[in-house]
């Protein structure tokens, strides 16, 4: 990796993201996990169906199982038994006979159609069918959903609740998943205090690390929390050295800018390597990526909105790769801007916005509060980013703009 700190200009955010995705690999190791605990995790190997689903022909309705040919005569059919879910009828449906059947029950041998009970006039020992009946009606066929030997889910799939339902229906009780990365996390700053502590003059609460811990926990990642570090070079060096040994990746907040007390980047340059620094995005220009003894390092800005936006736009895609999954570009839409926005060419701007449909059903968007990189209330009120291209300037009210609806964890 080359040191981009001395290079003129800023790296486009798209390039920075591509560099991250190319540089990272899934962490080694797998583990077997009960199926109900697998949501959000990534499959390490494919899951193969061990049976047909449904496992047998069964009824989609409460009604009567019969032979369609027997209806041509118009004569009543002899009722010879009942078939319930879990308690099938064990005999044969012979010509001129039928079986009372419940939803989910096995269709007995000899029957080729189920007639719903609303079309049947039933007596104690016989039934008469009225209305139009189609061959094979109301029967769920064996294997119409899944066939034995079919790949249910491919390796690399990120498990959703719908996937869990599918696997459970196929009898899968546990799955082999990629090991979750261990993420070392710390903030730097003599002024930082843990939420709940007493502030003194010049202090602020460490919102960055608190929010990042919540985001990482939401991804199911294991967190090595190294706390709040003072602006002391030796302490930061020790924390980075420990993190490189005990974690799969390092995320820091603060200390990567150009202030006199911003030591994190300097220590990383001495002990490891920086792949790039300074990205053409707003907020979030002072973002650093590098390696320390081979361990990936993500240095987030200290301003709270900048930290969360760079985490969302750059670190989340990288973590998806490290988890063994893939990353897909977020959905974007076009909306009409309700008020003018300031913008200078040079950086892609992720302004915090709130979109909705107006009275005519048109998608409209407006800024969510003040857009400063320290203004968390605007981010908290937003449901999208208003994405303004790097080379664009101010945007007028009524113009169409690109919006990116927020996904988890924002």
């Amino acid at each position: 990796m080359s040191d981009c700190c001395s290079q003129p200009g800023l790296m486009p955010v798209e390039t920075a993201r591509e560099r991250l995705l190319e540089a990272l690999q899934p962490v080694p190791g797998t583990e077997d996990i009960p199926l109900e605990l697998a949501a959000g995790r990534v499959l390490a190997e494919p899951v193969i169906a061990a049976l047909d689903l449904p496992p047998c022909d069964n009824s989609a309705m409460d009604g009567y199982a019969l032979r369609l040919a027997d209806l041509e005569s118009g004569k009543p059919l002899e009722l010879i038994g009942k078939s319930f879910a879990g308690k099938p009828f064990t005999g044969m449906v012979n010509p001129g006979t039928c079986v009372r059947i419940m939803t989910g029950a096995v269709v007995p041998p000899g029957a080729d159609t189920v007639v719903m009970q609303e079309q049947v006039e039933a007596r104690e020992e016989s039934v008469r069918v009225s209305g139009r009946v189609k061959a094979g009606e109301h029967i769920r066929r064996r294997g119409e959903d899944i066939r034995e030997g079919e790949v249910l889910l491919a390796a690399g799939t990120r498990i959703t609740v719908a996937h869990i339902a599918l696997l459970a229906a196929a009898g899968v009780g546990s799955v082999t998943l990629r090991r979750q990365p261990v993420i070392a996390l710390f903030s730097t700053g003599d002024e930082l205090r843990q939420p709940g502590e007493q502030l003194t003059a010049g202090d602020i609460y460490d919102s960055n690390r608190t929010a990042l811990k919540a985001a990482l926990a939401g991804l199911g990642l294991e967190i090595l929390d190294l706390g709040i570090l003072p602006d002391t070079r030796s302490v930061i060096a020790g924390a980075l050295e420990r993190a490189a040994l005990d974690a799969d990746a390092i995320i820091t907040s603060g200390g990567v800018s150009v202030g006199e007390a911003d030591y994190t980047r300097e220590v990383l340059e001495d002990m490891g390597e920086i792949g790039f620094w300074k990205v053409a995005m707003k907020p979030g220009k002072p973002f650093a990526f590098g390696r320390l003894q081979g361990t990936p390092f993500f240095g987030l800005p200290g301003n709270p909105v900048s930290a969360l936006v760079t985490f969302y736009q750059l670190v989340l895609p990288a973590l998806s790769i490290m988890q063994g999954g893939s990353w897909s570009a977020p959905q974007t839409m076009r909306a009409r801007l309700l008020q003018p926005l300031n913008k200078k060419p040079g950086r892609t701007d992720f302004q915090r916005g709130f979109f909705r449909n107006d009275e005519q059903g048109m998608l409209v968007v407006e800024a969510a509060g003040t857009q400063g990189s320290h203004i968390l209330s605007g981010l908290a009120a937003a449901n999208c980013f208003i994405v303004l291209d790097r080379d664009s300037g101010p945007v007028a009210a009524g113009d169409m703009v690109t919006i990116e609806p927020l996904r988890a964890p924002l």
Side-chain angles (χ1 to χ4, degrees), residues 327-384:
W327 179 81
S328 58
Q331 175 191 12
T332 60
M333 299 183 290
R334 298 285 285 177
R336 182 171 58 84
L337 189 62
L338 292 179
Q339 88 269 54
L341 296 176
N342 292 323
K343 166 75 166 68
K344 293 181 180 180
R347 290 191 280 170
T348 301
D349 202 341
F350 295 94
Q351 299 209 13
R352 281 67 70 201
F354 189 89
F355 74 94
R356 65 182 188 278
N357 290 104
D358 65 12
E359 294 80 2
Q360 289 73 43
M362 184 176 185
L363 203 63
V364 296
V365 67
E366 59 189 327
T370 306
Q371 295 296 305
S373 60
H374 62 296
I375 303 295
L376 281 169
S377 58
L379 180 60
N383 64 1
C384 72

Side-chain angles (χ1 to χ4, degrees), residues 191-276:
E191 76 282 11
L192 297 179
R193 296 293 179 268
Q194 182 70 19
E197 295 180 352
Q198 186 68 36
L199 295 181
T200 59
D203 292 343
I204 60 172
Y205 288 120
D206 182 14
S207 62
N208 291 3
R209 192 174 110 267
T210 304
L212 292 170
K213 283 178 66 176
L216 294 170
L219 296 172
L221 297 165
E222 184 177 341
I223 303 169
L224 175 61
D225 185 8
L226 301 180
I228 301 171
L229 304 185
D231 289 320
T232 304
R233 188 185 181 97
S234 60
V235 174
I236 294 172
L240 285 172
E241 187 172 7
R242 177 191 171 189
L245 291 174
D246 297 340
D248 297 298
I250 306 166
I251 299 177
T252 69
S253 171
V256 295
S257 192
V258 293
E260 291 185 6
D262 290 335
Y263 294 121
T264 303
R265 181 176 57 84
E266 295 181 13
V267 172
L268 183 64
E269 287 178 319
D270 291 343
M271 300 174 60
E273 54 187 355
I274 292 182
F276 59 83

Side-chain angles (χ1 to χ4, degrees), residues 11-67:
M11 180 177 289
V13 63
E14 298 83 5
T15 304
R17 190 183 292 123
E18 290 173 3
R19 292 272 295 272
L20 288 171
L21 297 177
E22 292 171 356
L24 297 169
Q25 299 292 330
V27 297
T30 63
E31 54 183 343
D32 291 334
I33 295 293
L35 180 62
E36 63 268 21
L37 302 179
R41 300 286 298 274
V42 176
L43 277 176
E45 55 188 42
V47 181
I48 309 300
L51 75 167
D52 291 334
L53 190 65
C56 60
D57 289 356
N58 69 85
S59 178
M61 288 281 184
D62 292 343
Y64 294 84
L66 47 79
R67 295 158 46 95

Side-chain angles (χ1 to χ4, degrees), residues 39-367:
R41 300 286 298 274
V42 176
L43 277 176
E45 55 188 42
V47 181
I48 309 300
L51 75 167
D52 291 334
L53 190 65
C56 60
D57 289 356
N58 69 85
S59 178
M61 288 281 184
D62 292 343
Y64 294 84
L66 47 79
R67 295 158 46 95
L68 183 64
D70 290 341
L71 300 181
E72 294 178 0
S73 66
K75 295 180 180 180
L77 302 177
E78 180 186 359
L79 183 61
I80 60 172
K82 298 179 180 180
S83 183
F84 294 91
K87 295 181 179 180
F89 176 75
T90 57
M92 171 76 70
V93 176
N94 293 311
T97 67
C98 68
V99 167
R100 179 78 165 116
I101 194 167
M102 301 297 148
T103 302
V106 176
V107 177
D112 58 18
T113 301
V114 171
V115 177
M116 60 182 179
Q117 60 189 21
E118 290 82 358
Q119 290 183 252
V120 173
E121 180 186 347
R123 298 183 179 179
E124 289 187 5
E125 297 181 357
S126 66
V127 300
R128 185 182 296 275
V129 177
S130 62
R132 185 178 178 183
V133 179
K134 296 179 181 179
E137 196 167 28
H138 305 312
I139 295 179
R140 303 164 176 160
R141 296 298 180 184
R142 175 176 180 172
E144 71 175 26
D145 188 5
I146 297 295
R147 288 289 186 183
E148 180 181 352
E150 181 180 343
V151 176
L152 292 175
L153 296 175
T157 300
R158 189 176 296 275
I159 302 292
T160 66
V161 172
H163 292 147
I164 289 175
L166 172 65
L167 298 182
V172 177
S174 64
V175 285
T176 302
L177 304 173
R178 289 277 189 181
R179 178 178 69 84
Q180 286 281 51
V182 178
I183 309 299
L185 176 67
F186 65 84
S187 294
T188 63
D190 292 334
E191 76 282 11
L192 297 179
R193 296 293 179 268
Q194 182 70 19
E197 295 180 352
Q198 186 68 36
L199 295 181
T200 59
D203 292 343
I204 60 172
Y205 288 120
D206 182 14
S207 62
N208 291 3
R209 192 174 110 267
T210 304
L212 292 170
K213 283 178 66 176
L216 294 170
L219 296 172
L221 297 165
E222 184 177 341
I223 303 169
L224 175 61
D225 185 8
L226 301 180
I228 301 171
L229 304 185
D231 289 320
T232 304
R233 188 185 181 97
S234 60
V235 174
I236 294 172
L240 285 172
E241 187 172 7
R242 177 191 171 189
L245 291 174
D246 297 340
D248 297 298
I250 306 166
I251 299 177
T252 69
S253 171
V256 295
S257 192
V258 293
E260 291 185 6
D262 290 335
Y263 294 121
T264 303
R265 181 176 57 84
E266 295 181 13
V267 172
L268 183 64
E269 287 178 319
D270 291 343
M271 300 174 60
E273 54 187 355
I274 292 182
F276 59 83
W277 176 55
K278 292 186 178 181
V279 179
M281 63 184 295
K282 181 181 181 181
K285 179 178 72 173
F287 172 88
F289 170 68
R291 292 186 184 272
L292 184 65
Q293 300 175 14
T295 302
F297 168 89
F298 306 95
L300 309 184
N303 278 321
V305 178
S306 300
L308 291 178
V309 172
T310 52
F311 178 83
Y312 184 86
Q313 294 291 341
L314 298 174
V315 180
L316 273 182
L319 293 178
S320 294
I321 300 300
M322 296 187 70
Q323 288 179 303
S326 59
W327 179 81
S328 58
Q331 175 191 12
T332 60
M333 299 183 290
R334 298 285 285 177
R336 182 171 58 84
L337 189 62
L338 292 179
Q339 88 269 54
L341 296 176
N342 292 323
K343 166 75 166 68
K344 293 181 180 180
R347 290 191 280 170
T348 301
D349 202 341
F350 295 94
Q351 299 209 13
R352 281 67 70 201
F354 189 89
F355 74 94
R356 65 182 188 278
N357 290 104
D358 65 12
E359 294 80 2
Q360 289 73 43
M362 184 176 185
L363 203 63
V364 296
V365 67
E366 59 189 327

